[in-house]
């Protein structure tokens, strides 16, 4: 498993502000979470006939861009295993100065088929909404989202209480900016294994899953995932693709997230904070 490293200096910027406290106003420097567009390009087709095209543009916090692209390809169903991805690298042949450092290209296996009309219909993302077009659990089942194994992991109930603080301690950039979502992977004993941050909650999870994919660690059947904010249907779907059996969220789950977790065999926890939480599905994993 990759070390639980965090975002580079390009992930935040400084701004001069007027800080008001009561009746007093002073000049100060503020730290902002960086947000820039990332273009994900695909290379595909047989050797000697390779083609390239733009797959998606997502607003993200710079850092771990190759992991973000890899996780996105997996969780959105373009690839299903590590062998189908030859590699991901920054694009050196960009045309505009603002594209420098903001374009990556994922090279797919030569024999991997692509549904190009589907790509045109479904793949434009933003940091706030995730991928458009996913409106039902049936659509995810059609993309071969797996049903999770029923043998574990088993997590002591007290361990869940410890996860938010351990995640918060590791969120170096959040502590400075207050503007980032996090996805953190833990062992059943509560050991922090990996953490990724981003302005978009979907991106943070894709970065984490991409890191595990590139490191050959999938599926993550024996791990616990904690996400900041609420638990949406998209986060449940992405976690299920990665084989994660326990998803805990600091905020509330949506109704469709609960239904999806129930169908996928996932244990879903919400409101995990201040020594309390709700278990919405498959409570047998919390012992």
């Amino acid at each position: 498993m990759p070390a639980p490293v965090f975002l580079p200096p390009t992930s935040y910027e400084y701004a001069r502000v007027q800080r008001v406290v009561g009746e007093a106003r002073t000049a100060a420097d503020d730290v902002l979470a960086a947000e820039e567009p990332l273009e994900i390009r695909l290379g595909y087709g047989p050797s000697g006939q390779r083609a390239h095209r733009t797959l998606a543009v997502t607003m993200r916090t710079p850092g771990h861009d190759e992991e973000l692209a890899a996780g996105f390809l997996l969780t959105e169903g373009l690839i299903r295993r590590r062998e189908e991805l030859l590699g991901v690298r920054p694009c050196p042949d960009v045309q505009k100065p603002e594209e420098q450092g903001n374009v990556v290209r994922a090279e797919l296996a030569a024999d991997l088929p692509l549904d190009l009309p589907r790509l045109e219909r479904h793949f434009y993302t933003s940091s706030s909404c995730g991928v458009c077009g996913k409106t039902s659990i049936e659509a995810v089942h059609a993309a071969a989202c797996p049903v999770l194994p029923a043998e574990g992991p088993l997590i002591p109930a007290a361990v869940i209480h410890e996860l938010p603080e351990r995640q918060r301690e590791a969120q170096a950039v959040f502590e400075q900016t207050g503007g980032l979502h996090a996805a953190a992977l833990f062992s059943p004993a509560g050991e922090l294994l990996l953490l990724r941050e981003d302005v978009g909650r979907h991106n943070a999870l894709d970065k984490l899953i991409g890191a595990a994919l590139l490191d050959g660690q999938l599926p993550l059947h024996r791990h616990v995932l904690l996400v900041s904010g609420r638990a949406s249907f998209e986060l449940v779907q992405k976690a299920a693709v990665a084989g994660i059996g326990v998803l805990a969220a600091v905020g509330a789950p949506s109704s469709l997230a609960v239904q999806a977790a129930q169908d996928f065999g996932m244990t879903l926890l919400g409101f995990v904070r201040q020594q309390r939480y709700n278990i919405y599905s498959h409570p047998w994993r919390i012992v």
Side-chain angles (χ1 to χ4, degrees):
M1 182 67 63
V5 295
F6 315 113
L7 290 169
T10 54
S11 302
Y12 52 88
E13 301 176 3
Y14 293 94
R16 195 67 174 169
V17 301
Q18 294 287 311
R19 184 162 293 152
V20 178
V21 179
E23 298 296 324
R25 182 168 64 178
T26 58
D29 287 324
D30 195 21
V31 184
L32 306 177
E35 183 177 26
E36 296 182 13
L38 176 69
E39 179 181 343
I40 302 174
R41 297 178 182 174
L42 288 183
Y44 60 95
S47 179
Q49 303 178 35
R50 298 289 284 179
H52 298 93
R53 63 169 295 147
T54 295
L55 170 66
V57 177
T58 183
M59 299 303 297
R60 98 300 188 195
T61 299
H64 308 299
D65 292 335
E66 292 84 356
E67 296 172 357
L68 172 57
F72 181 84
L73 292 175
L74 179 77
T75 61
E76 296 305 326
L78 274 83
I79 62 172
R80 297 186 181 180
R81 58 184 186 276
R82 176 66 179 87
E83 294 74 18
E84 294 176 341
L85 179 62
L86 300 180
V88 186
R89 62 182 178 86
C91 279
D93 55 344
V94 294
Q95 303 299 316
K96 302 175 182 178
E98 60 268 21
E99 293 178 336
Q100 191 67 42
N102 287 325
V103 183
V104 296
R105 187 161 72 207
E107 296 291 343
L108 304 181
D111 59 349
L112 183 66
L114 281 184
D115 183 352
L116 295 180
R118 175 177 176 267
L119 298 187
E120 294 173 357
R121 289 194 303 269
H122 292 294
F123 285 99
Y124 180 81
T125 71
S126 76
S127 63
S128 60
C129 74
V131 175
C132 302
K134 291 252 174 61
T135 57
S136 69
I137 293 174
E138 288 75 15
V140 180
H141 280 308
C145 190
V147 174
L148 299 168
E151 64 269 17
L154 301 179
I155 314 298
V159 167
I160 303 298
H161 291 309
E162 301 170 359
L163 302 186
E165 182 61 27
R166 293 179 182 178
Q167 181 194 62
R168 185 64 177 266
E169 289 173 354
Q171 279 192 263
V173 179
F174 179 87
E175 286 300 320
Q176 297 181 67
T177 67
L180 290 179
H181 288 284
L185 198 67
F186 295 89
S187 72
E191 176 190 2
L192 177 62
L193 304 174
L194 185 64
L195 183 142
R196 292 292 183 263
E197 299 179 86
D198 199 275
V199 288
R201 60 171 62 89
H202 306 88
N203 291 342
L205 183 51
D206 276 341
K207 286 180 177 181
L208 183 144
I209 292 173
L213 171 71
L214 294 173
D215 199 47
Q217 297 294 325
L218 296 184
L220 298 171
H221 290 326
R222 304 296 304 175
H223 299 79
V224 181
L225 172 67
L226 177 66
V227 297
S228 60
R230 62 184 180 86
S232 66
F233 166 67
E234 290 89 352
L235 294 187
V236 170
Q237 175 257 322
K238 289 176 182 291
V241 170
I244 296 170
V246 180
L247 168 57
V250 174
S254 69
S255 61
L256 193 57
V258 173
Q259 184 181 347
Q262 187 66 45
D263 285 3
F264 295 150
M266 179 185 296
T267 300
L268 178 61
L269 313 178
F271 299 105
V272 183
R273 57 181 186 260
Q274 299 174 339
Q275 295 298 300
R276 66 183 180 90
Y277 55 87
N278 297 338
I279 306 176
Y280 291 89
S281 61
H282 299 279
W284 58 269
R285 289 192 182 91
I286 309 301
V287 297

